[in-house]
Amino acid sequence: MPELVHRLEDSLAGAALSYEIILVDDGSPTPDWPIITELASHNERIRGLRLSRNFGQHHAITAGLTDAQGEWVVVMDCDLQDQPEEILRLLTKAQDGYKAVLARRGQRTDSFLTIWVARIFYRILGYLTGQPQDPEVGNFGIYHRQLIDTVLRLPESTRYFPTMVRWAGFRQTSISVPHGINGRPPSYTFSRRFQLGLDILLSNSDKPLRLTVFFGLFLALGAFALGLVMLVRAFLGQIVVLGYASLIVSISFFSGIIITVLGIVGLYVGKTFEGVRNRPLYVVAETTP
């Protein structure tokens, strides 16, 4: 974080801009909060927010957006993969009449496996949600206050900032930026990415329910055709001994389908229950003076 703040100040020093730096500690397991308070005590531009526990990256982003006061807001990670030197390029592009300019990582520094897993993940997610998902675009970008206020008015408890930005509309574009290197393993494991994708899917699309309807109709037609075949074979005397194996397999298969459909419906019901509880999206435990 000290290096991040140093590079931010160096990048913005010659631009004659009034700005603030908001650092959000999302229940970090490492002692980051003392560093944030130390930085804030020596720099009046820095403001720190410490959440009471780990609420998740996109809830932490919401906390920072709520606290931000500027006409333009830059969202970025603190691991320096999002490079502060690109902020003025984003702002310059935004002056062409855009409400959001997203940073597109032209040459990612992640491992080959990480890049391809992300591409496959976002391709599937884009199909299921009906919204294009670009694996090269993350949270890093510059956003106008009008768009940020629109995002903050969205009440859903499941937060995914890029999707909310796309939903908000307005005139948006992206530019290619270099991807920084931090030498640490990615914080998003496959299980976390899968859980995030499931949350996004359940919150933004009903396509899984539609797919189960079509799949059910397909199975019904297949079962009807198979029944006709078996009926004809019975009339022709081709079935001498009726077996139990096919019956057990059929029952098990269709029972699995029924349980799967009920599970999908249950997930949607669970998300609805989570939403109607109307709990706060995050809890701020402490702020810097």
Side-chain angles (χ1 to χ4, degrees):
M1 278 183 292
E3 181 181 355
L4 171 65
V5 171
H6 176 71
R7 289 174 60 177
L8 281 170
E9 292 183 324
D10 283 351
S11 301
L12 301 175
L17 296 172
S18 174
Y19 65 90
E20 61 181 351
I21 301 173
I22 300 175
L23 301 173
V24 182
D25 179 359
D26 183 28
S28 173
T30 56
D32 293 328
W33 183 245
I35 300 175
I36 293 176
T37 55
E38 177 69 17
L39 291 170
S41 65
H42 293 88
N43 190 333
E44 61 181 9
R45 288 195 176 107
I46 298 176
R47 176 172 171 79
L49 300 177
R50 183 187 181 202
L51 304 188
S52 60
R53 62 171 177 83
N54 179 257
F55 285 88
Q57 180 187 23
H58 298 279
H59 288 76
I61 290 175
T62 301
L65 296 178
T66 303
D67 197 69
Q69 302 296 320
E71 179 183 2
W72 292 96
V73 180
V74 176
V75 177
M76 63 190 306
D77 295 338
C78 68
D79 58 5
L80 295 177
Q81 286 190 324
D82 299 334
Q83 302 192 56
E85 292 77 13
E86 303 300 323
I87 291 178
L88 291 182
R89 286 186 58 214
L90 295 171
L91 180 59
T92 300
K93 185 65 176 178
Q95 303 304 318
D96 293 336
Y98 296 100
K99 296 297 185 181
V101 180
L102 310 175
R104 196 173 192 277
R105 296 164 288 189
Q107 294 182 343
R108 297 185 59 174
T109 59
D110 297 315
S111 66
F112 177 82
L113 179 61
T114 299
I115 292 174
W116 276 100
V117 167
R119 288 178 178 176
I120 294 172
F121 171 82
Y122 285 110
R123 179 68 62 86
I124 296 174
L125 184 63
Y127 169 74
L128 292 176
T129 59
Q131 297 179 350
Q133 305 284 339
D134 190 347
E136 312 304 331
V137 175
N139 303 313
F140 187 29
I142 190 166
Y143 309 91
H144 190 266
R145 167 56 54 187
Q146 187 177 6
L147 188 148
I148 293 298
D149 288 342
T150 301
V151 169
L152 291 177
R153 285 199 299 270
L154 300 181
E156 55 259 37
S157 58
T158 301
R159 317 290 291 183
Y160 184 61
F161 183 65
T163 298
M164 300 171 83
V165 167
R166 280 191 288 272
W167 182 91
F170 300 103
R171 194 179 178 208
Q172 304 182 19
T173 189
S174 64
I175 62 174
S176 295
V177 301
H179 194 207
I181 302 175
N182 66 1
R184 297 187 303 176
S187 59
Y188 271 105
T189 61
F190 178 79
S191 60
R192 290 186 62 187
R193 195 182 297 274
F194 178 80
Q195 184 61 51
L196 175 63
L198 185 61
D199 288 341
I200 298 169
L201 178 60
L202 296 176
S203 301
N204 294 277
S205 175
D206 62 352
K207 185 169 285 188
L209 294 175
R210 297 175 183 269
L211 290 177
T212 57
V213 171
F214 288 117
F215 187 52
L217 291 175
F218 173 77
L219 290 178
L221 290 175
F224 180 74
L226 182 60
L228 289 178
V229 171
M230 298 300 292
L231 183 61
V232 172
R233 291 186 64 192
F235 282 128
L236 295 176
Q238 296 179 358
I239 300 178
V240 180
V241 179
L242 297 178
Y244 295 97
S246 58
L247 181 61
I248 296 300
V249 170
S250 298
I251 292 176
S252 300
F253 177 74
F254 286 106
S255 297
I257 295 299
I258 293 172
I259 292 174
T260 300
V261 173
L262 288 176
I264 294 175
V265 175
L267 289 174
Y268 277 97
V269 173
K271 286 297 177 183
T272 303
F273 172 69
E274 183 178 328
V276 299
R277 286 188 300 180
N278 200 27
R279 289 184 178 181
L281 299 176
Y282 56 86
V283 178
V284 177
E286 191 174 355
T287 63
T288 55

